[in-house]
Amino acid sequence: MDIENPQILSNYLFKHDLISEGESLSCKMLTGGVSAKTVYVEKSKPIVIKQALQQLKTKSEWFSDPARILIENLGLKWLYDHLPPGSIPQPIFCDEKNHLLIMEAISPPAKNLKELLLAGVIEKDYIKSFGALLGTIHMKSLNDPDASKTFHNRDYFINLRIEPYYEHTSHKLTQFQTFYADLIESTLETQLTIVHGDYSPKNVLIKDGRLILLDHEVMHFGDPAFDVGFSITHFLSKANHLNNPAYVDAARLSWDSYRSIFNYERDNFEQRCVKHLLGCMLARVHGKSPLEYFAADEHKWQYETVSSLINEMPSTLTQLFESYKNLLYERKN
């Protein structure tokens, strides 16, 4: 089943009563992700069809069972039921055999948060909402036995995050093997909330002033500190790329907004956030999924900067932000 073939796709949608006989539609292939084929179908009520790939679209070999689409379907349903209206596309149909998921399309015009940030646009309301939405996911699922049962499978998170980010980086940078081994162990031991696992500006659309979250295929019940580190990585990496300390302020704003909702204080939570942030930032230059916008000098600066921070580990995110900002100012001057 090739969803990128318009005739095959049209026949499939008709067979499953997703379009009526003779209904016209146009298809647009969406790019940007590495783990799936994605098609926007323009019809009376537009839809998006996502089909998980076994071999991801990366330079390094990277394979994952496409049955993970079932996790994404569960995640889409849970988030749709638990987040504020309009935050998640409505789920429509899931086909286990063909590894595809169909959901409501977000019709244009809609902005992508990653593209805005790379263009130099820092809209404080969006940044606050970005942090608050993640805080809501974690707060609503905190120690929830039903969520724990539904999202107990962490295989795809291990396959698509732990192995390509943390393990791959530790094999390349042997001086940090102990750091990553400890981080992996604590991550897999912690089962506290739903973890989105791909909470990134690239997966956030903005329409009519509200944030809409996409891509949920590695959702699981685990350590919320991973989501914090993974998400804030993108602000600090853009501060490096654009040589602009204002993105560090954006990271702090997102963190403060998150903490206004999820104020969990136990189990060295903030310290784990610090370690995940540093682990993710290093992985985005030496893991299997390096940030595509880094030039060689930015790659080198992030490696050297994060290495120094790991060696002199900040105890809080505030300390980390201040240190990172000071290093940026030193580079600018």
Side-chain angles (χ1 to χ4, degrees), residues 261-320:
I261 295 175
F262 189 75
N263 56 1
Y264 190 81
E265 299 286 357
R266 297 164 54 191
D267 307 317
N268 298 311
F269 176 66
E270 186 169 357
Q271 181 65 56
R272 294 205 316 275
C273 291
V274 168
K275 291 178 179 178
H276 276 295
L277 174 54
L278 295 174
C280 285
M281 289 185 70
L282 205 53
R284 295 321 295 258
V285 292
H286 282 290
K288 279 193 176 182
S289 183
L291 290 170
E292 82 287 352
Y293 52 75
F294 272 165
D297 61 326
E298 297 159 5
H299 183 287
K300 181 174 183 289
W301 189 86
Q302 183 135 317
Y303 163 72
E304 292 176 347
T305 299
V306 175
S307 296
S308 69
L309 289 169
I310 291 176
N311 290 328
E312 298 181 15
M313 185 71 66
S315 58
T316 67
L317 281 174
T318 297
Q319 289 180 7
L320 191 157

Side-chain angles (χ1 to χ4, degrees), residues 108-277:
K111 302 173 183 176
N112 178 266
L113 184 56
K114 175 186 175 180
E115 292 176 2
L116 288 176
L117 292 170
L118 284 174
V121 178
I122 301 176
E123 173 54 61
K124 289 185 178 180
D125 286 344
Y126 298 159
I127 305 304
K128 288 180 181 178
S129 296
F130 182 77
L133 193 62
L134 182 61
T136 302
I137 294 171
H138 292 168
M139 197 68 229
K140 284 185 175 289
S141 60
L142 178 62
N143 293 321
D144 183 335
D146 290 334
S148 175
K149 182 178 179 180
T150 301
F151 296 100
H152 70 279
N153 186 345
R154 295 185 294 175
D155 292 348
Y156 302 116
F157 172 69
I158 292 170
N159 180 228
L160 292 172
R161 290 294 175 268
I162 296 295
E163 292 173 355
Y165 283 72
Y166 289 176
E167 289 185 1
H168 187 83
T169 305
S170 72
H171 293 156
K172 290 183 69 176
L173 305 176
T174 56
Q175 69 271 37
F176 295 119
Q177 282 185 346
T178 300
F179 167 79
Y180 276 112
D182 291 345
L183 185 56
I184 291 168
E185 182 180 10
S186 69
T187 303
L188 297 181
E189 285 179 348
T190 303
Q191 298 187 49
L192 190 63
T193 72
I194 281 179
V195 177
H196 186 268
D198 200 8
Y199 200 82
S200 160
K202 79 175 176 63
N203 290 330
V204 172
L205 296 179
I206 300 165
K207 184 175 176 63
D208 300 329
R210 74 177 188 276
L211 270 59
I212 304 168
L213 179 62
L214 311 173
D215 290 352
H216 322 295
E217 64 185 1
V218 291
M219 272 180 62
H220 64 283
F221 202 80
D223 185 3
F226 178 85
D227 275 343
V228 174
F230 188 87
S231 62
I232 293 178
T233 287
H234 293 278
F235 293 110
L236 298 192
S237 295
K238 289 170 181 61
N240 167 17
H241 174 59
L242 299 170
N243 202 19
N244 187 347
Y247 287 86
V248 183
D249 297 331
R252 189 195 307 271
L253 184 61
S254 177
W255 167 245
D256 289 344
S257 181
Y258 169 84
R259 291 297 271 171
S260 71
I261 295 175
F262 189 75
N263 56 1
Y264 190 81
E265 299 286 357
R266 297 164 54 191
D267 307 317
N268 298 311
F269 176 66
E270 186 169 357
Q271 181 65 56
R272 294 205 316 275
C273 291
V274 168
K275 291 178 179 178
H276 276 295
L277 174 54

Side-chain angles (χ1 to χ4, degrees), residues 76 80 88-92 102-104:
L76 188 66
Y80 186 80
I88 300 291
Q90 182 177 10
I92 295 174
I102 301 178
M103 68 198 82
E104 167 196 14

Side-chain angles (χ1 to χ4, degrees), residues 39-41 45-48 89-90 92 103-108 207:
V39 178
Y40 182 101
V41 179
K45 291 184 178 180
I47 58 175
V48 163
Q90 182 177 10
I92 295 174
M103 68 198 82
E104 167 196 14
I106 308 304
S107 57
K207 184 175 176 63

